[in-house]
Amino acid sequence: MKRLKSLLMAVGLSVAVAVPNVALAAETCMVTDPTDTPLNVRAAPGNKGKVIYTIDNGIIVTIVKYSKNKKWAYVRDADTREDIGWVYREYLSCSPSLKNR
């Protein structure tokens, strides 16, 4: 029994370490770029990531995971559940009430 507990504990720690940037609970957010221009969506987190798309203010997204520094969020469309890409986290306004819209 002690061996089983140790094994389960090791597996749990491995999973926690292997997936450090997954959001613990999916956050639903609205795009709120203060420049009032479409928000750049990038293939990789950071300003050097290639811009692959843009999304307008007011679009509702779900955060799937964060970059290591938490400044970038990988998002998907909240309605279609299709992956979109990486966006600058500061340009998202998140609220529990958005989830129930």
Side-chain angles (χ1 to χ4, degrees), residues 42-60:
R42 298 178 182 272
N47 289 330
K48 293 183 180 180
K50 180 181 178 183
V51 176
I52 56 172
Y53 194 66
T54 61
I55 48 179
D56 294 327
N57 277 345
I59 299 296
I60 306 297

Side-chain angles (χ1 to χ4, degrees), residues 10-101:
V11 169
L13 288 173
S14 297
V15 170
V17 171
V19 192
N21 61 350
V22 172
L24 295 177
E27 290 182 79
T28 303
C29 309
M30 181 182 294
V31 175
T32 54
D33 187 332
T35 65
D36 205 29
T37 59
L39 180 60
N40 288 336
V41 177
R42 298 178 182 272
N47 289 330
K48 293 183 180 180
K50 180 181 178 183
V51 176
I52 56 172
Y53 194 66
T54 61
I55 48 179
D56 294 327
N57 277 345
I59 299 296
I60 306 297
V61 297
T62 302
I63 295 177
V64 176
K65 61 185 174 182
Y66 292 98
S67 62
K68 289 181 184 178
N69 64 10
K70 306 274 193 238
K71 291 184 179 183
W72 295 84
Y74 189 85
V75 298
R76 70 173 43 129
D77 185 291
D79 292 328
T80 66
R81 299 183 188 265
E82 290 182 36
D83 287 355
I84 297 174
W86 291 96
V87 298
Y88 187 58
R89 171 63 183 88
E90 290 296 315
Y91 293 169
L92 300 176
S93 296
C94 304
S95 169
S97 64
L98 289 172
K99 198 171 207 169
N100 301 319
R101 56 174 192 89

